[in-house]
């Protein structure tokens, strides 16, 4: 059982690393686009951390990370990222807890699930405007294709810290 200070330190480090990843994305990769779609890593970050730390802790991180993204970014509707990241965290917890635990394949799967969750949620919101499912899925597929090369470095970055925090587990 971890002490409260160990848990606070662990999630502070995870949060700092996540913010550093977003800063690197914003400063070094702002022009990276594929067919008019820009690189967007927050769904992958939320899902990966929820896969490494399934349960309430990963869910709370996704909730607060979604609130931060809703506050800092413009989404289709208020609380879009919060709802999307929490749903992705639920899927990531189920996938990592039941099928693939802490492997690179798990990170790829939960990242794809996170982008699919956001895409389907976006479609539900845009369906009343007459936007078709195929159009939204193509956009989400482009987002996923652009982000997939970053799964490997992010997986190993978070795995490094995960193994430091769970040395005795």
């Amino acid at each position: 059982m971890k002490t409260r200070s160990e848990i606070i330190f662990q999630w502070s480090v995870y949060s700092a690393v996540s913010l550093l990843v977003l800063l690197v994305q914003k400063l070094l990769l702002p022009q990276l686009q594929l067919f008019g779609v820009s690189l967007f890593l927050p769904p992958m970050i939320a899902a990966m951390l929820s896969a490494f730390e399934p349960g309430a802790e990963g869910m709370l991180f996704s909730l607060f990370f979604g609130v931060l993204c809703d506050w800092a970014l413009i989404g289709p509707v208020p609380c879009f990222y919060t709802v999307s990241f929490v749903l992705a965290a639920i899927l990531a917890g189920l996938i990592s807890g039941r099928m693939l635990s802490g492997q690179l394949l798990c990170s790829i799967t939960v990242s794809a699930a996170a982008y699919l969750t956001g895409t389907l949620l976006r479609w539900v919101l845009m369906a009343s405007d007459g936007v078709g499912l195929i159009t939204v899925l193509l956009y989400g597929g482009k987002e996923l294709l652009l982000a997939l090369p970053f799964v490997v470095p992010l997986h190993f970055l978070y795995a490094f810290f995960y193994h430091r925090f769970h040395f005795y587990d």
Side-chain angles (χ1 to χ4, degrees):
M1 184 78 179
K2 291 183 182 180
T3 65
R4 179 186 291 174
S5 61
E6 289 174 332
I7 292 170
I8 291 171
F9 178 73
Q10 171 186 343
W11 286 100
S12 297
V13 169
Y14 279 147
S15 298
V17 168
S18 299
L19 290 175
L20 184 64
V21 167
L22 292 177
L23 182 67
V24 168
Q25 174 196 336
K26 188 71 174 167
L27 294 177
L28 300 180
L29 305 169
Q31 303 302 326
L32 190 58
Q33 292 188 350
L34 177 70
F35 304 114
V37 176
S38 298
L39 179 64
F40 189 64
L41 293 178
M44 184 183 301
I45 292 169
M48 244 188 243
L49 276 174
S50 295
F52 277 111
E53 300 284 351
E57 292 176 344
M59 184 84 62
L60 283 173
F61 176 83
S62 294
L63 175 74
F64 288 120
F65 193 59
V67 168
L68 179 68
C69 286
D70 279 324
W71 178 69
L73 304 169
I74 297 172
V77 294
C79 300
F80 174 78
Y81 296 117
T82 304
V83 172
S84 177
F85 293 175
V86 168
L87 290 174
I90 292 169
L91 282 173
L94 290 173
I95 291 169
S96 68
R98 304 260 187 248
M99 297 177 231
L100 310 164
S101 181
Q103 304 168 0
L104 181 59
L105 182 59
C106 178
S107 292
I108 293 169
T109 305
V110 298
S111 296
Y115 283 99
L116 181 63
T117 301
T119 300
L120 291 176
L121 187 59
R122 192 176 295 129
W123 175 68
V124 166
L125 295 171
M126 298 172 77
S128 64
D129 294 335
V131 178
L133 178 61
I134 301 298
T135 305
V136 176
L137 284 176
L138 285 173
Y139 183 83
K142 291 176 196 176
E143 269 187 334
L144 179 61
L145 281 176
L146 189 59
L148 272 179
F150 295 93
V151 170
V152 174
L154 284 178
H155 169 79
F156 287 114
L157 177 68
Y158 288 124
F160 172 79
F161 288 106
Y162 174 80
H163 291 301
R164 296 294 177 253
F165 295 133
H166 296 274
F167 183 74
Y168 295 109
D169 293 350

